[in-house]
Amino acid sequence: MRRALHRLLSGSAVALLAAAVVSAPGTPALAADPAVRLHFPDISVVGKDTKTSALFAWIDVPGTAPAAIGKLTVSVDTAGVDSIATVEAFSEFEDIGGEFCDRAGTVITCELDGPIELEGGTNLLPLVPLSVTAKPGAAQDAEGKLAFTARIDGGPAVTAESTVAIGEGVDLAGVIAKPVTVAPGSRAVADVRVSNAGTRPVKGVVLVLLGWDPSLTKDGGYSNCTYGLLTICTFDDVLATGTSYQLSTPMALEIPADAAAGSRASAIGAWYTPGDFKELIDVAPELDGDIFGPKGTGAPAELRAVKAAKANQVDTNLDNNLMLSEFVVGGSRRPDMAAVGATVTGTPGDKVRTKVGFVNNGPGTLYHFTFDNVDPSTHITVPAGLRAIKVDERCVPFAYDADVEFPEGGPEKDLTGASEYVCFVEDGKTAAKASMLFDFTFEVRENASTKAGQVRINEDFLTLAEPIDRDGRNDSAKITVQASGGSGGGLPVTGANAGVLGAAGGVLLLAGALGLLMVRRRRVRFTA
């Protein structure tokens, strides 16, 4: 989680190329030229530090049906910035996903081979990653224009431009605090600090946090913050050199009184200059409002010192911008989690609803939304004699048998048919003696093998924080298959393994879709 988050917060647009285009030879071609808009952020650079971002295209496909486009040709004319900056396309030295770039003078031309599948509606397509570096001797405030052109097959050319400027170098530093042990039922104050580690005053800062839930902020949240997938707080203060600052009204995490001992929560984010932050969010000016969310309606958050320009300011050392404040719940209520298997009974063709997962044997409650390490990442291996035909929305395919054709459109469009799944819990809670089960429907195969499958929890390669489970001996359970007589075609429901569940009783199902998340997004509930 933190590796993925650090990539996001470091502002590397190249990471967005993970959503690279997919060839789909069977998709019909567009009947008419789609509407295309190009976008590359305005960038400020300084010294020897290189900035990287991607040229994106917004492509509007009429209607709702998918369609395909052919070869896409992109050119980048660097003549307008040639005297102040060096601009390179990544694929000049590395082939990226079928993309080929060549350079003639100040013009970089890149070709993306088609067909390229697009969904009906608006598509965001990364075209080419570009690196920008200031040339030695370039004067502060000097600027120029990059010119972009794109053409789909023989269609009309689409143009755009962006500004490259020489900025002023500064250095912001966040604080990586040591984990603090807190008591159940207490109010833990997050260590949110920033320092000016450079030699020039910093004119304003932006704090970006992952998932500060506005529903628990007092008085409607801070008016200089927005609350969405990211929490973003803007400060107009001038930060003096060699000085550290913290929030005048601290952010605090309310620790539930019955939280399991060892539960770990994190406030994680990064600090930016206003110019650097604008570049970070400017990869796509039409991003959904869920990313940023509404502004708070309470008093503004303020910075206070804790120790006694026209130019766009550019942070020359982004590696030290990360801030992290961690809390670990103390006490003696460290829980035991146990895997919950099942027995599937049926004849070939039967569709059998089955629930597997884990039980919290207690003591202490697992708060999945608040804490990082209370989800054991349930790993399910489907018995060879069964095929998953309905999958809990909190689960994602993890592996397929060699003879199984990969689902068209990828596993995000079809969850069925995998040989292994991983299930994540991100919301709600699992009280002591309660279970968290995942709902599957399996179809019994012809000549079904009775070889058992397995449920495993707390595996090292799937957990991203130290698990709180105090006894690993019951972290696996079998999914067994029993052949039975009958005409088939029914929908029997198997119960969870009663010997494992004990007094746990009913099933605690979560409200809301968790989506297809192989990397779990951890959100911390902080209040002002």
Side-chain angles (χ1 to χ4, degrees), residues 347-411:
T347 59
D350 279 351
K351 298 174 177 61
V352 185
R353 185 180 176 188
T354 308
K355 296 175 181 178
V356 295
F358 66 92
V359 60
N360 174 15
N361 288 326
T365 298
L366 308 175
Y367 286 89
H368 300 291
F369 188 95
T370 304
F371 298 106
D372 299 346
N373 62 338
V374 297
D375 174 21
S377 300
T378 304
H379 183 189
I380 298 166
T381 301
V382 178
L386 304 177
R387 180 180 182 274
I389 60 172
K390 186 175 181 180
V391 178
D392 194 296
E393 63 185 1
R394 297 165 292 174
C395 304
V396 292
F398 189 68
Y400 290 86
D401 289 332
D403 59 347
V404 174
E405 185 176 349
F406 197 70
E408 184 177 351

Side-chain angles (χ1 to χ4, degrees), residues 221-255:
Y222 297 126
S223 59
N224 57 332
C225 300
T226 59
Y227 301 92
L229 174 59
L230 299 174
T231 292
I232 302 166
C233 299
T234 303
F235 303 90
D236 296 329
D237 308 64
V238 176
L239 277 59
T241 59
T243 306
S244 295
Y245 297 81
Q246 66 183 19
L247 294 181
S248 58
T249 303
M251 292 161 41
L253 176 65
E254 304 291 342
I255 306 297

